C-alpha cells in the first residue's frame, strides 16, 4: 500500500500543483514552524549531521566550499584547509536551520540572542540626520538576525535576489515580512525604489557580496582573486550622498549568541570611479570575513564569471 492512506506521491504532487504559490508558501511556513520548535541544542546537532552528510556524499555545498578555499586560501596546507572546510560546512548547516527558527519566532525573542551591540549610535544618528543611510551587510554570521535588529530601529528597504520559483519568493515574503521590512527585488526597478527611499531619509540594506549579472558590475580582487562585484551600492552612495555603514551579526560561542557590529565604511566606497569603489567594497567584506572565515558563506559560487579577455574559465 502507498503511504498517505493509499495515495501515492504522484497523486499528492498532483493535488499540490494547482495550489497558488502563496498557499504553497503557507504550507512551507507551517512546516518550518514545526522545525522551529526544536530546542537549540537539538537543532544544532541536526545541523552537524547535515554537514557530515554533505562531506560524506561530496554534496554541492562541500564541493563549492572546498574549491573556494583553494582559491581564497592558497597559503594553507591540505590539513589546514580540510579543517577549515569542516568548520565552514558545520557553521553553514547550523546557520541555515538557525535562520528557519528565527523566522518562526517573535523578533523580540530573537533580539534577546544579541549579547552586545557595537555602533548602534552610528545607525541611529545616520537615520536622524535625514539624508538616508545605506547598510552594507556581508554574508557573514547571521544576516537575517541583523535584518530584524535593523527593523527594530525603524523602516528599512532590503534588497534581495528572488528565488527562481514563485513559491520560494512567496515564502521569503512571508517569513521576512516582519514589521518595518520592505523587500525590494534586485531587478531593474530596484534602483528607482532605493533612490526614493534614500531621498526620503530612509534606510536601505544591501548584501553586497553576491555576483551580479554579466555587464552589471566591475571586477575587483576578493581574497586575491578577481570577482565580478556589484556597483549598485556605490552608485547609490555617490549619487545620493547617503552614508554607508558596514554591519554584521557575528556568532559567539557554541550556542545561539551573537555580537552585532556597525562601523562606518571608508569614503572610497562612494568613489565616482566604479573600479575604485568596488575595490574598496570588496576589501571591507574581506576584512570582515577574515574575522572568522568559517562564518562566511563559502558555499556560494562567488567566482563563476571571469574577466573578459582573461582566457579564464569558471573554476567550478
Amino acid at each position: 500500500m502507498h503511504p498517505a492512506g493509499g495515495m501515492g506521491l504522484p497523486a499528492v504532487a498532483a493535488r499540490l500543483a494547482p495550489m497558488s504559490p502563496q498557499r504553497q508558501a503557507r504550507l512551507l511556513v507551517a512546516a518550518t514552524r514545526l522545525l522551529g520548535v526544536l530546542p537549540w541544542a537539538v537543532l544544532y546537532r541536526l545541523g552537524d549531521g547535515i554537514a557530515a552528510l554533505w562531506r560524506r556524499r561530496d554534496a554541492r555545498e562541500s564541493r563549492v566550499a572546498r574549491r573556494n578555499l583553494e582559491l581564497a586560501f592558497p597559503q594553507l596546507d591540505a590539513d589546514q584547509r580540510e579543517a577549515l572546510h569542516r568548520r565552514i560546512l558545520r557553521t553553514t548547516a547550523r546557520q541555515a536551520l538557525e535562520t528557519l527558527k528565527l523566522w518562526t519566532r517573535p523578533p523580540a525573542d530573537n533580539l534577546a540572542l544579541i549579547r552586545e551591540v557595537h555602533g548602534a549610535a552610528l545607525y541611529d544618528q545616520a537615520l536622524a540626520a535625514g539624508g538616508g543611510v545605506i547598510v552594507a551587510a556581508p554574508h557573514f554570521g547571521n544576516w537575517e538576525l541583523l535584518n530584524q535588529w535593523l527593523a527594530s530601529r525603524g523602516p528599512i528597504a532590503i534588497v534581495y535576489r528572488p528565488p527562481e520559483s514563485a513559491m520560494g519568493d512567496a515564502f521569503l515574503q512571508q517569513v521576512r515580512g516582519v514589521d518595518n521590512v520592505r523587500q525590494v527585488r534586485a531587478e531593474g526597478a530596484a534602483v528607482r525604489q532605493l533612490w526614493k527611499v534614500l531621498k526620503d531619509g530612509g534606510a536601505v540594506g544591501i548584501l553586497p557580496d553576491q555576483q551580479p549579472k554579466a555587464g552589471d558590475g566591475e571586477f575587483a580582487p576578493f581574497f586575491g582573486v578577481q570577482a565580478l562585484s556589484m556597483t549598485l551600492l556605490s552608485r547609490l552612495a555617490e549619487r545620493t550622498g547617503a552614508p554607508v555603514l558596514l554591519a554584521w551579526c557575528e556568532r559567539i560561542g557554541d550556542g545561539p549568541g551573537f555580537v552585532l557590529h556597525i562601523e562606518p565604511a571608508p569614503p572610497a566606497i562612494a568613489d565616482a570611479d566604479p573600479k575604485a569603489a568596488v575595490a574598496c567594497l570588496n576589501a571591507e567584506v574581506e576584512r570582515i570575513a577574515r574575522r572568522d572565515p568559517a562564518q562566511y558563506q563559502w558555499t556560494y559560487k562567488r567566482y563563476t564569471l571571469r574577466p573578459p579577455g582573461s582566457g579564464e574559465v569558471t573554476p567550478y
Side-chain angles (χ1 to χ4, degrees), residues 6-310:
M7 181 172 60
L9 290 178
V12 174
R15 287 197 174 190
L16 289 176
M19 289 184 182
S20 68
Q22 288 72 25
R23 187 177 179 190
Q24 293 178 24
R26 285 196 293 271
L27 290 176
L28 186 56
V29 170
T32 300
R33 291 187 185 282
L34 293 177
L35 182 67
V37 301
L38 294 176
W40 286 108
V42 175
L43 202 70
Y44 284 153
R45 284 199 296 272
L46 179 59
D48 294 347
I50 292 172
L53 188 63
W54 283 343
R55 282 179 58 85
R56 187 162 57 248
R57 294 192 173 182
D58 196 27
R60 177 195 177 279
E61 291 80 3
S62 180
R63 295 194 307 273
V64 172
R66 181 173 284 110
R67 185 64 179 124
N68 277 332
L69 293 184
E70 291 170 352
L71 295 166
F73 296 95
Q75 75 279 12
L76 298 181
D77 62 34
D79 290 342
Q80 291 173 323
R81 199 174 293 130
E82 278 303 300
L84 181 54
H85 177 262
R86 192 175 294 109
R87 287 177 55 216
I88 285 170
L89 293 185
R90 179 173 179 264
T91 302
T92 299
R94 284 187 169 203
Q95 192 269 349
L97 296 180
E98 182 179 83
T99 294
L100 292 176
K101 187 175 179 73
L102 294 177
W103 278 339
T104 64
R105 293 166 19 121
D109 292 348
N110 296 334
L111 297 182
L113 302 175
I114 300 176
R115 312 305 185 199
E116 301 174 19
V117 177
H118 301 284
L122 289 173
Y123 185 69
D124 293 341
Q125 290 165 6
L127 277 180
V133 58
I134 301 170
V135 178
H139 287 86
F140 179 85
N142 195 302
W143 50 93
E144 295 295 342
L145 183 56
L146 171 64
N147 286 346
Q148 294 190 7
W149 184 89
L150 293 169
S152 74
R153 318 297 280 194
I156 184 167
I158 294 175
V159 182
Y160 79 108
R161 180 176 296 176
E164 293 182 1
S165 73
M167 183 202 70
D169 193 21
F171 174 75
L172 288 181
Q173 291 294 331
Q174 292 183 37
V175 294
R176 281 180 175 162
V178 296
D179 290 344
N180 288 334
V181 172
R182 171 186 172 191
Q183 298 184 68
V184 178
R185 297 165 68 97
E187 297 173 343
V191 176
R192 292 190 296 274
Q193 295 180 58
L194 300 177
W195 179 282
K196 186 176 188 309
V197 170
L198 293 172
K199 283 299 185 183
D200 290 343
V204 166
I206 299 177
L207 294 162
D209 47 353
Q210 287 187 322
Q211 180 176 254
K213 296 178 181 178
D216 285 353
E218 293 282 350
F219 279 91
F222 184 61
F223 281 86
V225 182
Q226 290 292 319
L228 185 63
S229 307
M230 70 158 57
T231 56
L232 170 63
L233 185 150
S234 298
R235 284 189 289 120
L236 285 172
E238 192 264 328
R239 295 176 185 179
T240 66
V244 179
L245 299 177
L246 297 156
W248 66 95
C249 207
E250 188 168 3
R251 187 173 291 101
I252 56 172
D254 204 43
F258 301 86
V259 174
L260 192 144
H261 298 266
I262 297 177
E263 296 179 356
I269 208 165
D271 198 292
D273 178 355
K275 289 185 179 296
V278 166
C280 177
L281 175 62
N282 281 4
E284 289 302 296
V285 173
E286 179 176 334
R287 177 180 65 85
I288 294 167
R290 286 188 181 276
R291 293 174 61 92
D292 181 2
Q295 293 197 43
Y296 189 68
Q297 191 186 42
W298 292 109
T299 55
Y300 175 67
K301 293 182 179 181
R302 184 67 181 87
Y303 305 107
T304 301
L305 298 175
R306 310 311 307 138
S310 67

